[in-house]
Amino acid sequence: MSNVCNVFGKCGGCTYLNINYNVQLKEKTENILKILEVSQIEIKNYEGVLSSPEIYHYRNKMEYSFGNEMKNGPLTIGLRGRGKFYDVYSAKTCKIAPKDFGKIIEFSEKFFKDLPFRNYRKHTGYLRHLVMRKGFKTNEILLNISTSSEDYHSHIEKWANEVLKLELEGKIVSIYHTITDAKSTVVKADELKKLYGKDYFEEEILGIKFKVGPFSFLQTNTLGSEVLYSKVLDYIDDNAKTGFDLYCGAGTITLLMAKKLEKVIGVEIVKEAVEAAKENAKDNNANNVEFYLGDAKDIVKQLDEKLDTIVVDPPRAGLHKNVINFIMDNQFDNVVYVSCNPSNFARDMIYLKDMYEIEKFVFVDMFPHTKHLESVAKLKRK
């Protein structure tokens, strides 16, 4: 089957790549509705599932590992195997990443073939990760290569010069070098060097421009996020005037809410994201937004303003008890809950359902060929 890539079944990415897209959607929605049913979460108006505008090559961000497919094998840049901690499968022909990313991998595998890559058993080796991000509306590409602190850095500078010469559909506008000796496989920076270009790449969502830095959060499916955010805006009451956006990242939802409301407050724990959010607000002339830096669970204890609407888009762990209490104490008329983890959404709804009912509920497929789905729920105070 031509739509299955050469490492399908080994790599930990697309588990549904060999299943017809409509069948995928049916299976995914049924699985999640079952979870809600078991938790006795009732939905007044279920609006079905909205599919992703693109189902191949739709991801704007990929985080690749340096490694090999088997012991003593040649260098590969790709994704870890399913259930495997060490094996890395080349992602040159990945069906969900932009084609440009495949070209960059192909070049980089050859370029780095003689350099040692990280062995997470022994915590030795230089090359760790290669993160690529792309603006779908702008065609801008940001690269961030992560290595240990051993001194092979001149190779990285040479690679940066060479990679700029590749013929791509998009344009590389920014290259970073992240240096860390952390034992974990997470991409984090003890030291961050910009090797080329701008501090960020740009993306546009529903007419709003965003600057996205190497560590800023952005939904990984740009075109899908337009579908998702249109639904979020649709679920905010027309008579709403003010709102909170918790877990706001670089301010995507905040700035979209600001078009509809008189005042919006965004809360985010990542410092770089808040700085980007403030800059994005300025660039889009949004004077009716404020941003708070900190963990939502702590910040909500300090917020004493009375606003009428709240949008929450938490990480996979769902809402902290403090946030649930904040929603209940403030008795918001309108709560919009964006969730990427149905089990934790169901858990949070068990707490909230004394005061709120699910007025409307829809799924948005942001991750074709994987088991994940986003959902948007409009909660009304009983």
Side-chain angles (χ1 to χ4, degrees):
M1 187 177 174
S2 65
N3 287 337
V4 175
C5 90
N6 59 336
V7 293
F8 175 68
K10 296 179 190 169
C11 142
C14 311
T15 40
Y16 286 16
L17 197 56
N18 58 343
I19 301 172
N20 169 285
Y21 184 59
N22 290 328
V23 176
Q24 292 180 30
L25 292 182
K26 188 169 179 292
E27 198 173 299
K28 294 203 279 195
T29 50
E30 283 172 0
N31 290 345
I32 296 174
L33 290 170
K34 222 170 268 167
I35 292 171
L36 298 180
E37 204 179 302
V38 169
S39 303
Q40 298 179 317
I41 305 298
E42 283 174 33
I43 297 169
K44 278 177 80 175
N45 298 292
Y46 170 54
E47 300 187 328
V49 60
L50 301 171
S51 54
S52 174
E54 295 285 340
I55 65 169
Y56 296 108
H57 306 295
Y58 61 83
R59 282 186 67 101
N60 58 34
K61 178 186 179 188
M62 293 294 285
E63 205 170 279
Y64 299 112
S65 298
F66 286 91
N68 53 10
E69 283 189 30
M70 59 199 103
K71 206 174 173 187
N72 304 326
L75 170 75
T76 52
I77 301 173
L79 303 170
R80 296 196 180 279
R82 191 169 333 149
K84 303 271 175 95
F85 188 64
Y86 301 109
D87 305 357
V88 172
Y89 295 94
S90 180
K92 283 197 285 272
T93 60
C94 179
K95 295 290 181 193
I96 61 172
K99 290 176 179 167
D100 279 347
F101 290 10
K103 289 180 186 165
I104 294 167
I105 286 178
E106 197 164 356
F107 163 75
S108 303
E109 280 182 349
K110 288 180 187 137
F111 185 90
F112 288 123
K113 67 181 193 325
D114 299 324
L115 280 192
F117 55 82
R118 195 75 179 164
N119 178 325
Y120 287 96
R121 272 194 187 95
K122 298 176 181 160
H123 303 295
T124 57
Y126 179 65
L127 299 164
R128 295 175 72 112
H129 295 95
L130 179 55
V131 182
M132 305 193 208
R133 308 187 70 165
K134 181 177 183 179
F136 271 58
K137 300 289 180 74
T138 59
N139 252 338
E140 294 189 346
I141 295 170
L142 178 146
L143 303 179
N144 181 9
I145 187 165
S146 164
T147 71
S148 76
S149 62
E150 285 175 86
D151 199 8
Y152 292 102
H153 300 335
S154 59
H155 292 274
I156 301 297
E157 280 153 32
K158 191 166 178 241
W159 167 82
N161 291 330
E162 294 297 315
V163 80
L164 288 167
K165 297 173 188 168
L166 290 180
E167 276 190 34
L168 304 169
E169 287 168 29
K171 181 179 191 295
I172 297 171
V173 296
S174 181
I175 302 176
Y176 277 93
H177 180 193
T178 288
I179 300 168
T180 179
D181 291 317
K183 288 207 157 106
S184 78
T185 60
V186 179
V187 181
K188 70 183 190 67
D190 295 335
E191 190 187 339
L192 184 65
K193 290 182 183 171
K194 189 174 70 175
L195 302 181
Y196 170 79
K198 304 194 286 189
D199 294 353
Y200 49 81
F201 72 96
E202 287 182 66
E203 183 58 298
E204 194 179 299
I205 294 170
L206 296 174
I208 290 183
K209 288 190 167 62
F210 293 94
K211 290 175 175 168
V212 187
F215 293 101
S216 295
F217 173 77
L218 188 70
Q219 285 280 5
T220 50
N221 178 342
T222 299
L223 304 178
S225 70
E226 294 197 312
V227 176
L228 181 78
Y229 295 146
S230 297
K231 222 43 197 166
V232 171
L233 292 179
D234 183 34
Y235 279 5
I236 293 174
D237 287 348
D238 289 335
N239 59 0
K241 290 191 165 48
T242 54
F244 287 110
D245 174 19
L246 298 194
Y247 315 96
C248 72
T252 325
I253 294 178
T254 324
L255 295 180
L256 291 167
M257 287 169 75
K259 283 174 143 183
K260 189 169 176 167
L261 304 179
E262 289 168 14
K263 179 181 183 177
V264 189
I265 291 176
V267 177
E268 170 57 46
I269 193 170
V270 178
K271 186 167 182 260
E272 189 217 14
V274 174
E275 284 163 9
K278 286 177 177 170
E279 201 157 309
N280 290 329
K282 209 160 59 200
D283 292 346
N284 289 283
N285 300 318
N287 307 319
N288 54 341
V289 295
E290 281 175 34
F291 292 101
Y292 286 83
L293 171 65
D295 193 328
K297 74 174 166 52
D298 304 325
I299 297 285
V300 289
K301 291 179 169 173
Q302 303 157 26
L303 294 169
D304 49 8
E305 285 192 64
K306 287 297 273 183
L307 307 186
D308 54 41
T309 298
I310 185 166
V311 175
V312 289
D313 184 1
R316 293 195 67 76
L319 300 178
H320 188 274
K321 203 74 194 281
N322 292 1
V323 176
I324 291 174
N325 291 338
F326 176 70
I327 292 172
M328 307 278 270
D329 293 346
N330 280 270
Q331 302 188 4
F332 292 98
D333 298 329
N334 192 195
V335 179
V336 182
Y337 190 142
V338 182
S339 169
C340 59
N341 186 328
S343 310
N344 289 341
F345 170 69
R347 178 203 66 202
D348 294 344
M349 276 312 301
I350 290 167
Y351 290 112
L352 289 165
K353 71 179 182 181
D354 289 345
M355 189 179 282
Y356 290 94
E357 58 186 353
I358 300 181
E359 167 105 343
K360 290 180 179 173
F361 185 87
V362 70
F363 290 111
V364 181
D365 187 25
M366 303 280 282
F367 316 101
H369 315 302
T370 76
K371 64 179 194 289
H372 303 291
L373 263 186
E374 292 267 327
S375 64
V376 189
K378 176 185 172 80
L379 312 183
K380 286 300 283 180
R381 197 153 50 103
K382 287 182 179 174

